[in-house]
Each structure stands twice: as C-alpha cells, then as structure tokens.
C-alpha cells in the first residue's frame, strides 16, 4: 500500500512551494487584481501593497514569474534568470518579510469590509509565520519550512531540470537564448546552495545519514554527459520542433559540461563531507534550536496554535475511531482475523487489485485514475454551486524523478487555462498502488480535492490574485481529505467495497501522520520506530513506510496538516447542521467554505461561525 505525501509539487514552479516566504505558510509574492475604482483609504492601501508585493516577489523569483506566465512586458528579462539562492538572497527575503509585515500592520483593519479583512488577515498570517521560521538562521524550504537547504526533495539540483523542461516555453529564438542563460544560472544556484550547506554544517545542522544517501543517489543520476542530460535534450528537441536549429542546444551542452557539472561535483563533495559526520537521528530535536524550530514549523504548516503534545493526542484519538470503522469494512470483504494493519497488508497483496509492474500496467493504472476523475466530475454539480472550468488530467511521474518524488501530488492549472490541472502518481513500483488505493487519491489530488479548491480560487472574481495563488497546507490538505470523505458520501464507493477500505485506510494514514510526525520531531522516535508504526498500524510495506518517514524528516510539521484541516471542515459542517437543522444545505456550505479562497484554519473557523450565524 502506498502512503503518499500529497501536496502541490515543489517542482511545479521551479522553486519550493513555500520558498517564496522562506518557510512561511503560503506563497507570498502575488499581485492584487486591479483595484476597484471606488476603493479608497484602507482598501486602496491594501490593493497598493498587494501590487507592490507581487512585483517585488517576481523580481526575487523569476521561476515563479514564468510559472504564472508573468515573465513578459516589464518583466521579460526574468525569463532568462533564476532566483538568488545565496545568503544574500535569503537576507533579501527576510528583509522583504519585515517590510511587508510593517506595511500591512499600518493598514486600518477596522476601515475594511469583512471580505477585505480576510484578505488582510491572510496576508498578515503568511508574513508573521514567515518571520517566525526565518528567525532560525539555517535551512530552506521543501513542502514547508525545512531545516535543510538540500535534501532528497529540495534543492536546485532536483527542481531546475524539471522546471526548464516543463515550464520554460520554447517558441522563439529569444526563448531559446533565455533558456541557455538559465542553464548558466542553474550552476550559480547549485553553488549558492552548496555554500549554505557548508555554512549550516559548520553550525551543526546536518541532515541524517539516510537523507544524504538519498540526495547523493539523485545527484549521481543527474551527473550525466550533456548528450544524456534532460536539460540539454529538452532544449534540443523543442527548438528543433520550432525550426530554431541546434545552436542554443550546443551552447547549453557547453555550459552543462563546463559549469553545471563542476558545480554539481562541488555539491556532491559537500554532501559527502556532511555524510561523513552525519548521525542517524531523524528528528529536528537534535539540531541547534531544534526544540524551538519544530513548534514553529508545526504552526506554519497546520495554521493552528496546537502544541506537539496536543497534535500527538489528536492523532491517536482519530486513529482509534478510524481503526474501528476499517475493521468493520474489512470483515465485509472476508478479512476478519488479525490486526487491521495486517489485514490491509493482505488486501494489498491480493492479485485482483494489483496492476502489472510494467509500463503497460502503469498505463492501465493511469487510465483507471482518469476514468474515476471523469466519473466523479459528473456528480459534483449536485453538491457544488460552482465548478472549475479548467481541464484536469492524471499523469505518471516521469521515471527520472520517481526516486525522490512524492507518491502523488497535484499541480494547479495555469492562470490562462493553457495548461491543465495535473495529478501525478509515482508508479515506481505498481505494488505501492493497488487499485483500491488509486480512486481516493484521485479524488484528493483532483476533484473534488486540490483541483476543485485551486480551480475555484483561480476563477473567483472577488479574490485578489494574491489570494488566488496563496496556499495554506492546513486548508488545502484538509479540504482534499474532506473531498475523500465527500466522494464516499455521494456514492463513489457504493459498488466498490475495496475502494471504501482504501478510503478509510487513507484517512487512518493521515491520523497516524500526526502521531508519527510528532513522534519523530518531539518525542525523539527513531526512523526505525516510525517505520514500524506505519507497518503495524496500516499495513505499509517497509520501503513505502520508509519513504514517508524520509519526507517527514525534511518537512517537520507538514504531515500533521491533513487531518487537522479535515477535522476543521467536518467540525464546521457538523456545527452548521446542528444549528440550522432542515435549513442546512450542502451546496451552500461548500460555497461558504470556498468563497474566500484558501485561509488559515484559525480564520476558517471564524468564517464558519459567521456563516452559521447568518443562517
């Protein structure tokens, strides 16, 4: 059974999802929509701040600009650049956080409309959260604030090749030239991050041995001659398709051999030096200031003020309830003996639910996922007032990035709809994805999960763009987990009892994440204890459980955001049903929860109370 870290993939924009805030809870540098003509005073000040923030962020993060299609006009020069990953670049991000926070605090909140107060509160929250994590003078970002600059899932070495291949457009000779200059900038990014790695190591911040082993293995795969390098092959193929010749690709090949590979060798040497002194301890408790870093990372990811102890107890309570439900469903399938985890492991070995571990079998698995996505889309208008207009599809993670990629993740569509919303499955081993596990993950990553909430945000005419593009893990992952529950409620498993077991074990998995994440980083669990917990509790294979623990190691707190967010959506719905009785309408509930875009869970509870009070 696969246990996946589902989230928007860091490679989606060429920079880690929250790197734009150096560890904050959401993407910070985004623009506001043009201010309404009537906006004055505080609202005008807020609009102006949002406009300024985005322009500054685009200048700091050219990858972000390219991903949004905003590397044009006055920002056309960004198409040939990559972000500054040096210590100076980190300092600039910290200074921007301080300046933007001060500017937002100067706005008169009382003079804003209720909707604009939410906009202000979200912007303040991101910067306050960023300031807390930026106070720790080490690390970087992956799916959230990370104590490590480079790991198996963070660092330019693994994000830039995919970014250049999938996000940098090649239509003209100018595009090809800009690509070449980004290849040179790629080498600079690697060296800048290597410098930060060495600085952190000098301060005692060294990833665990097993994390460095993974990163080194991936670096070795990247270290190939120019003729075999994705970065060069992509440019050569796409330039030829546009009739642009091979000149740019030849230049990129020369840069690859002369600058990128030497920079990569220096990073490999630095990682090997760290590996020589690395310990096997998994949690951030071992690091200088690690005991303080974890609560800050937990707050940044969950957008709650819960302590590690409270999150741990919450996870245990949720897991007990889900274990009982799963037990009942497994008995219906004839799996009645032994612990739930052992029975799920047996179900996962049942040949009826396994696709062949071949390219053909993986094509079948992806086709099944796309079929489930199409099937649920026809049912959603019955429970949603609005539907996203974008196209969505499921794809396989490219084989060259399978080793370090999450089990499943989503990428939002482009703003103009030219690129569909994408759901990726890591099919490195088909046995990790039995058929009964695929459907609920498709609903989580696709519809009505991540692609629903991101698609509706992008088409929400009220939201300023800063809100359309921002994300909070507690909200986004909580909504996607609620989407799994909704799929069950609208009948997607009525003829698929094994699929319902897949849904319930996925819920159980997220509860266990709260236990394991806090176990690793607060209660000082070993990697082996955490792996065994997943094996025993939900039937994971040792390899699959290990990949999960590897991700939690470098992303403290993020794994807890799913179940905490899900519980918040359910609690608001239950409260509304109790207060409204027969007046409760599921469509209106969903509309209210998504009307204000993605918000911190603390803000979501206030939105829910206001909606319930209005009846």
């Amino acid at each position: 059974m696969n246990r996946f870290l589902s989230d928007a993939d860091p490679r989606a924009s060429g920079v880690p999802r929250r790197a734009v805030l150096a560890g904050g809870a959401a993407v910070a540098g985004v623009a506001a929509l043009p201010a309404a003509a009537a906006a004055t005073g505080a609202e005008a000040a807020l609009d102006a701040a949002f406009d300024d923030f985005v322009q500054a962020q685009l200048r700091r993060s050219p990858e972000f600009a390219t991903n949004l299609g905003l590397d044009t006009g006055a920002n056309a020069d960004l198409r040939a650049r990559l972000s500054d990953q040096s210590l100076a670049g980190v300092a600039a991000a910290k200074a921007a956080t301080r300046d933007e926070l001060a500017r937002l605090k100067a706005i008169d909140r009382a003079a804003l409309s209720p909707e604009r107060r939410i906009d202000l509160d979200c912007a303040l929250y991101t910067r306050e959260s960023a300031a807390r994590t930026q106070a720790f003078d080490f690390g970087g970002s992956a799916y959230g604030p990370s104590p490590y600059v480079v790991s198996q899932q963070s660092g330019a070495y693994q994000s830039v090749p995919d970014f250049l291949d999938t996000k940098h457009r090649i239509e003209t000779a100018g595009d090809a030239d800009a690509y070449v200059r980004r290849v040179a900038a790629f080498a600079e990014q690697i060296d800048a991050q290597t410098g930060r790695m060495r600085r952190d190591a000098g301060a005692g911040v060294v990833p665990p041995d097993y994390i460095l082993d993974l990163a080194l293995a991936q670096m070795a795969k990247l270290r190939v001659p120019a003729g075999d390098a994705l970065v060069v092959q992509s440019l050569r193929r796409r330039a030829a398709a546009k009739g642009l010749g091979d000149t740019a690709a030849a230049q990129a090949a020369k840069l690859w051999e002369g600058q990128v590979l030497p920079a990569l060798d220096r990073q490999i040497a630095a990682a090997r030096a760290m590996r020589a002194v690395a310990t096997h301890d998994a949690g951030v408790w071992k690091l200088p200031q690690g005991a303080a870093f974890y609560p800050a990372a937990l707050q940044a990811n969950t957008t709650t003020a819960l302590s590690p102890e409270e999150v741990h107890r919450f996870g245990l309570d949720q897991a007990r309830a889900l274990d009982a439900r799963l037990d009942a469903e497994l008995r219906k399938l004839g799996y009645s003996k032994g612990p739930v985890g052992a029975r799920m492991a047996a179900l996962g070995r049942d040949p009826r639910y396994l696709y062949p571990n071949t390219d053909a079998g993986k094509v079948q698995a992806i086709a099944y996922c796309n079929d489930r996505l199409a099937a649920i889309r026809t049912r959603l208008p019955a429970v949603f007032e609005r539907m996203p207009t974008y196209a969505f599809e499921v794809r396989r993670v490219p084989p060259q990035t399978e080793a370090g990629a999450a089990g499943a993740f989503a990428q939002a569509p482009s703003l103009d709809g030219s690129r569909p919303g994408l759901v990726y499955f890591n099919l490195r081993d088909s046995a990790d994805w039995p058929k009964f596990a695929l459907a609920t993950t498709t609903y989580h990553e696709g519809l009505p999960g991540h692609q629903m909430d991101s698609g509706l945000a992008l088409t929400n005419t009220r939201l300023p763009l800063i809100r359309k593009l921002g994300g909070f893990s507690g909200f986004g992952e909580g909504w996607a987990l609620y989407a799994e529950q909704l799929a069950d409620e609208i009948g997607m498993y009525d003829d698929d009892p094994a699929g319902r077991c897949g849904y319930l074990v996925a819920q159980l998995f997220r509860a266990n994440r709260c236990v394991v994440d806090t176990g690793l980083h607060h209660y000082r669990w070993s990697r082996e204890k955490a792996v065994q917990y997943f094996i025993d509790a939900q039937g994971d294979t040792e390899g699959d459980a290990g990949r999960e623990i590897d991700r939690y190691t470098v992303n403290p707190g993020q794994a807890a955001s799913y179940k905490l967010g899900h519980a918040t959506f359910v609690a608001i719905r239950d409260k509304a049903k109790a207060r409204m009785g027969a007046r409760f309408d599921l469509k209106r509930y969903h509309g209210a929860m998504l009307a204000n875009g993605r918000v911190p869970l603390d803000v979501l509870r206030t939105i829910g109370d206001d909606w319930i009070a209005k009846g």
Side-chain angles (χ1 to χ4, degrees):
M1 279 287 295
N2 182 273
R3 295 292 172 263
F4 51 89
L5 177 64
S6 58
D7 207 337
D9 183 52
R11 286 172 287 272
S13 63
V15 290
R17 186 181 186 192
R18 293 170 185 83
V20 292
L21 277 183
V27 176
V30 283
L33 289 174
T40 58
E43 291 193 2
L46 185 61
D47 288 333
F50 287 172
D51 287 340
D52 290 344
F53 293 173
V54 68
Q55 184 56 27
Q57 180 58 38
L58 293 178
R59 303 306 301 178
R60 288 195 303 274
S61 181
E63 300 96 323
F64 192 57
T66 292
N67 196 48
L68 297 176
L70 298 177
D71 53 355
T72 60
N75 290 320
D77 64 305
L78 298 179
R79 198 176 305 170
R81 294 171 45 195
L82 297 176
S83 56
D84 183 355
Q85 294 292 310
S86 69
L87 288 171
V90 172
K94 291 181 178 182
T97 297
R98 291 192 299 269
D99 293 346
E100 291 175 4
L101 188 55
R103 186 169 174 182
L104 290 170
K105 286 182 176 180
I107 294 173
D108 184 2
R109 185 177 183 277
L112 297 171
S113 68
E115 290 177 333
R116 299 315 306 275
R117 287 174 191 168
I118 293 173
D119 294 339
L120 174 61
D121 290 347
C122 290
L124 279 168
Y125 199 100
T126 61
R127 285 145 187 84
E128 288 170 344
S129 180
R132 282 189 289 270
T133 55
Q134 287 172 348
F136 299 94
D137 197 24
F138 57 81
S141 296
Y143 287 93
S146 174
Y148 311 119
V149 178
V150 172
S151 70
Q152 85 282 15
Q153 63 178 69
S154 63
Y157 84 93
Q158 56 86 50
S159 65
V160 171
D162 183 71
F163 166 74
L164 288 174
D165 178 43
T166 62
K167 302 302 185 298
H168 185 110
R169 293 162 297 181
I170 301 294
E171 299 291 340
T172 67
D175 294 336
D177 178 68
Y179 186 108
V180 171
R181 284 186 281 171
R182 275 181 158 164
V183 174
F186 178 31
E188 295 173 1
Q189 278 195 335
I190 293 174
D191 275 334
Q193 291 183 338
T194 300
R196 289 165 58 195
M197 290 169 62
R198 289 177 172 143
R199 177 178 179 272
D200 286 359
V205 179
V206 176
D209 51 11
Y210 58 93
I211 294 299
L212 288 165
D213 288 342
L214 287 169
L216 282 165
Q218 292 182 171
M219 291 175 189
K221 289 184 178 181
L222 180 67
R223 204 206 176 292
V224 296
D228 297 325
L230 173 65
V231 167
V232 177
Q233 290 177 336
S234 176
L235 178 57
R236 177 168 287 124
R237 169 178 48 80
R238 292 189 288 151
K242 297 295 180 180
L244 301 176
D246 196 51
T247 300
Q251 293 172 332
K254 184 176 180 180
L255 287 168
W256 182 266
E257 297 286 352
Q259 296 185 27
V260 175
L261 289 184
L264 183 60
D265 286 342
R266 289 186 285 271
Q267 187 158 100
I268 289 172
R272 285 175 175 165
M274 296 171 80
R275 177 63 177 82
V277 299
T279 70
H280 194 63
D281 295 321
V284 295
W285 56 264
K286 69 175 183 177
L287 304 176
Q289 305 180 67
F293 181 86
Y294 182 58
L298 193 63
Q299 182 277 334
N301 281 297
T302 67
T303 62
T304 73
L306 295 175
S307 68
E309 295 88 353
E310 289 171 321
V311 173
H312 194 81
R313 288 194 298 271
F314 166 82
L316 289 171
D317 291 343
Q318 292 281 312
R320 276 191 290 270
L322 287 162
D323 195 77
R325 291 183 63 192
L326 186 55
D327 169 63
E329 294 298 326
L330 284 167
R331 289 179 183 277
K332 294 176 184 178
L333 291 175
Y335 288 85
S336 58
K337 296 182 179 180
V340 162
R343 282 182 273 164
M344 280 305 306
L347 187 67
R349 293 190 295 270
D350 190 324
R352 291 177 296 171
Y353 305 116
L354 294 177
Y355 287 100
N357 194 32
T358 62
D359 285 340
K362 293 168 186 181
V363 168
Q364 293 174 23
I366 295 300
Y368 172 75
C369 293
N370 276 306
D371 174 75
R372 292 295 81 203
L373 188 62
I376 198 170
R377 186 161 196 163
T378 65
R379 300 194 186 192
L380 295 180
V383 290
F384 284 94
E385 296 172 320
R386 294 175 58 230
M387 288 287 294
T389 58
Y390 297 101
F392 304 105
E393 64 182 80
V394 182
R395 296 180 182 177
R396 177 186 173 186
V397 170
Q400 65 267 24
T401 58
E402 286 176 340
F409 54 85
Q411 291 183 2
S414 60
L415 287 173
D416 61 3
S418 60
R419 186 180 67 251
L422 300 175
V423 173
Y424 283 97
F425 278 84
N426 189 337
L427 298 179
R428 185 182 186 187
D429 184 349
S430 294
D432 287 339
W433 284 109
K435 186 175 182 179
F436 61 76
L438 290 170
T440 196
T441 307
T442 299
Y443 306 145
H444 178 108
E445 301 293 347
L447 298 172
H450 285 311
Q451 300 294 2
M452 173 68 80
D453 99 82
S454 65
L456 290 182
L458 290 175
T459 56
N460 188 330
T461 57
R462 190 208 71 78
L463 291 180
L465 194 54
I466 192 170
R467 300 285 323 290
K468 289 174 181 282
L469 301 173
F472 297 89
S473 189
F475 183 99
E477 300 303 343
W479 172 263
L481 199 52
Y482 171 78
E484 297 181 29
Q485 175 181 324
L486 183 63
D488 185 35
E489 292 172 342
I490 63 175
M492 296 304 294
Y493 301 116
D494 287 354
D495 60 351
D496 182 15
R500 181 168 283 116
C501 288
Y503 150 63
L504 288 172
V505 79
Q507 294 270 328
L508 175 62
F509 166 45
R510 277 38 169 268
N512 288 332
R513 275 179 160 176
C514 293
V515 178
V516 170
D517 194 84
T518 51
L520 287 168
H521 296 293
H522 183 70
Y523 290 106
R524 303 191 175 195
W525 288 14
S526 68
R527 180 181 186 274
E528 288 69 28
K529 180 176 180 177
V531 167
Q532 193 62 46
Y533 191 92
F534 272 149
I535 292 172
D536 293 342
Q538 58 206 36
D540 281 4
T541 65
E542 182 176 355
D544 197 42
R547 285 189 289 274
E548 282 298 310
I549 302 312
D550 296 343
R551 284 164 173 76
Y552 308 164
T553 300
V554 301
N555 287 286
Q558 199 275 339
S561 63
Y562 298 67
K563 203 68 180 70
L564 288 169
H566 170 257
T568 302
F569 281 103
V570 172
I572 295 171
R573 193 176 83 165
D574 289 346
K575 185 176 182 179
K577 285 182 175 180
R579 296 281 182 87
M580 295 179 177
R583 292 182 294 111
F584 177 81
D585 180 84
L586 190 58
K587 273 190 175 184
R588 290 183 59 236
Y589 166 75
H590 292 151
M593 293 299 95
L594 298 176
N596 292 284
R598 287 152 281 192
V599 300
L601 294 180
D602 290 341
V603 175
L604 182 65
R605 280 186 283 269
T606 299
I607 291 172
D609 286 343
D610 290 344
W611 178 71
I612 293 169
K614 293 175 182 177

